[in-house]
Amino acid sequence: MKFSSSADAQRARALEALRTGPKTSYDLRRLGLYQAPARILELRRAGYLIETHPVTVVDADGYEHPGVALYTLVEEPSPEEAT
């Protein structure tokens, strides 16, 4: 699967994913967002309320990764506010 690397396309993918439920930075990386914190910041600046909480994830090899960001979309801006 090939994804566009433009910031606009990455923000759209992040938003689409977050609308289905919380996602970790690892989840977003699998969607082609290698700068997830930057895209989340841009969405916040556009009026989206996104919470971040540190979690521990276990990878496919059984290794724990503490402090991974878990992003949760709490609220979207009204259509007049969205940019």
Side-chain angles (χ1 to χ4, degrees), residues 48-72:
Y48 293 88
L49 178 58
I50 300 170
E51 292 182 348
T52 305
H53 297 284
V55 296
T56 298
V57 297
V58 179
D59 66 21
D61 295 318
Y63 292 102
E64 288 188 358
H65 299 273
V68 172
L70 177 68
Y71 300 107
T72 303

Side-chain angles (χ1 to χ4, degrees), residues 3-48:
F3 295 114
S4 170
S5 62
S6 76
D8 287 340
Q10 289 183 45
R11 279 191 300 277
R13 284 196 304 275
L15 190 54
E16 181 179 335
L18 290 172
R19 284 178 172 147
T20 68
K23 300 291 180 280
T24 66
S25 53
Y26 284 110
D27 297 329
L28 296 176
R29 187 171 298 138
R30 282 192 290 272
L31 296 175
L33 281 81
Y34 292 96
Q35 297 291 326
R39 302 296 82 87
I40 297 299
L41 178 61
E42 292 163 355
L43 288 169
R44 286 178 175 143
R45 288 180 176 163
Y48 293 88

